[in-house]
Amino acid sequence: MGIRTGERRERGGPHAWPTTEAEAVALQERLREAADLTAEGPSPDQVRTVAGVDVAYADGGGLVAAAVVLDAATLQVVEESVHAGRTDFPYVPGLLAFRELPSVTAALDGLTCRPDVLVCDGYGIAHPRRAGLAVHLGVLTGIPCFGVAKTPFLFDFEQPGRERGSFSPLTSEGEEVGRAVRTQDGVKPVFVSVGSGIGLEHATALTLRLAPTYRQPETTRRADHLAGRHLAAAGQV
């Protein structure tokens, strides 16, 4: 059974994706209220398959969204899906999800298997309105989802210990909204933030399981490579 994003909005349809900042903020607030921030979600030992999503951009608004499902135990690819599209939504800090959501959800809808967990290259509740991309995807798909970002975004944190597995809180006005997690000895941390349907403990543990060798989890690495390959094949890079 594939993924069906029940609130998916096709551009120009009766429930079109937002085209203005005000529309996007209003939808973002509804999605934030719908997010499940109480569930612990599956532990790493319970996760059989996990999907990563990422987007590669071309000039002129073109983009390719990729979704890659991995076996959580072996990290081998189970299934891949790509969607080539474009974005006309303006670049607005805090609303970047709306540049990617239509194409990302289309790529997810192209999967035939439903993963146990989704991981995105971005944030969840570590967001000015507590509604980053991982919140959107968790609510729209009904699949536990969290984000693993490469760079900090308007939040405070202390550097975690240098050893793999060390972490420190990511905070906003004293509230913990994620963690800076060291996935490899001595490398820069990544920033883990829950979206919906999974708690921070399990999201942190799964991030480490998905990053046995490199700084980024394999979900992000495989999705990034897949999107980049298809963009290059289309002659858009």
Side-chain angles (χ1 to χ4, degrees), residues 5 8-11 17 52-58 61-68 80-87 99-111 223-224 226-232 234 236:
T5 50
R8 180 178 172 187
R9 294 161 171 79
E10 296 291 351
R11 182 171 174 78
W17 286 102
V53 296
D54 203 7
V55 172
Y57 286 92
L63 56 83
V64 171
V68 179
E80 299 177 338
S81 173
V82 296
H83 177 82
R86 61 175 295 105
T87 179
R99 293 174 60 81
E100 302 182 355
L101 274 168
S103 293
V104 168
T105 55
L108 287 170
D109 283 348
L111 297 172
D224 174 72
L226 179 62
R229 289 199 308 272
H230 278 260
L231 200 66
Q236 299 185 61

Side-chain angles (χ1 to χ4, degrees), residues 18-215:
T19 58
T20 69
E21 184 173 345
E23 291 173 353
V25 169
L27 176 56
Q28 203 169 61
E29 290 176 348
R30 293 199 299 272
L31 292 172
R32 178 193 63 206
E33 293 300 318
D36 180 358
L37 301 181
T38 62
E40 293 183 355
S43 68
D45 290 340
Q46 295 172 317
V47 175
R48 296 164 300 173
T49 56
V50 57
V53 296
D54 203 7
V55 172
Y57 286 92
D59 294 335
L63 56 83
V64 171
V68 179
V69 180
L70 303 181
D71 181 298
T74 66
L75 301 184
Q76 296 301 304
V77 174
V78 174
E79 187 179 10
E80 299 177 338
S81 173
V82 296
H83 177 82
R86 61 175 295 105
T87 179
D88 296 317
F89 195 86
Y91 178 90
V92 180
L95 296 176
L96 300 184
F98 292 101
R99 293 174 60 81
E100 302 182 355
L101 274 168
S103 293
V104 168
T105 55
L108 287 170
D109 283 348
L111 297 172
T112 61
C113 67
R114 185 180 180 87
D116 296 321
V117 176
L118 287 176
V119 182
C120 71
D121 180 16
Y123 280 102
I125 64 168
H127 179 276
R129 284 179 291 277
R130 305 295 185 265
L133 179 60
V135 173
H136 295 63
L137 290 175
V139 173
L140 293 174
T141 64
I143 298 172
C145 182
F146 65 93
V148 180
K150 296 185 287 292
T151 56
F153 175 57
L154 302 178
F155 300 103
D156 301 317
F157 73 100
E158 298 291 338
Q159 284 289 338
R162 292 182 56 81
E163 300 79 18
R164 168 179 160 83
S166 300
F167 62 84
S168 61
L170 191 64
T171 62
S172 174
E173 299 179 348
E175 177 188 357
E176 185 177 21
V177 293
R179 285 176 177 170
V181 179
R182 194 85 67 185
T183 54
Q184 301 298 323
D185 291 351
V187 303
K188 294 179 180 179
V190 295
F191 301 92
V192 178
S193 176
V194 302
S196 182
I198 189 168
L200 190 53
E201 292 292 337
H202 287 173
T204 301
L206 189 54
T207 297
L208 289 167
R209 170 171 283 196
L210 294 171
T213 307
Y214 299 100
R215 177 184 177 228

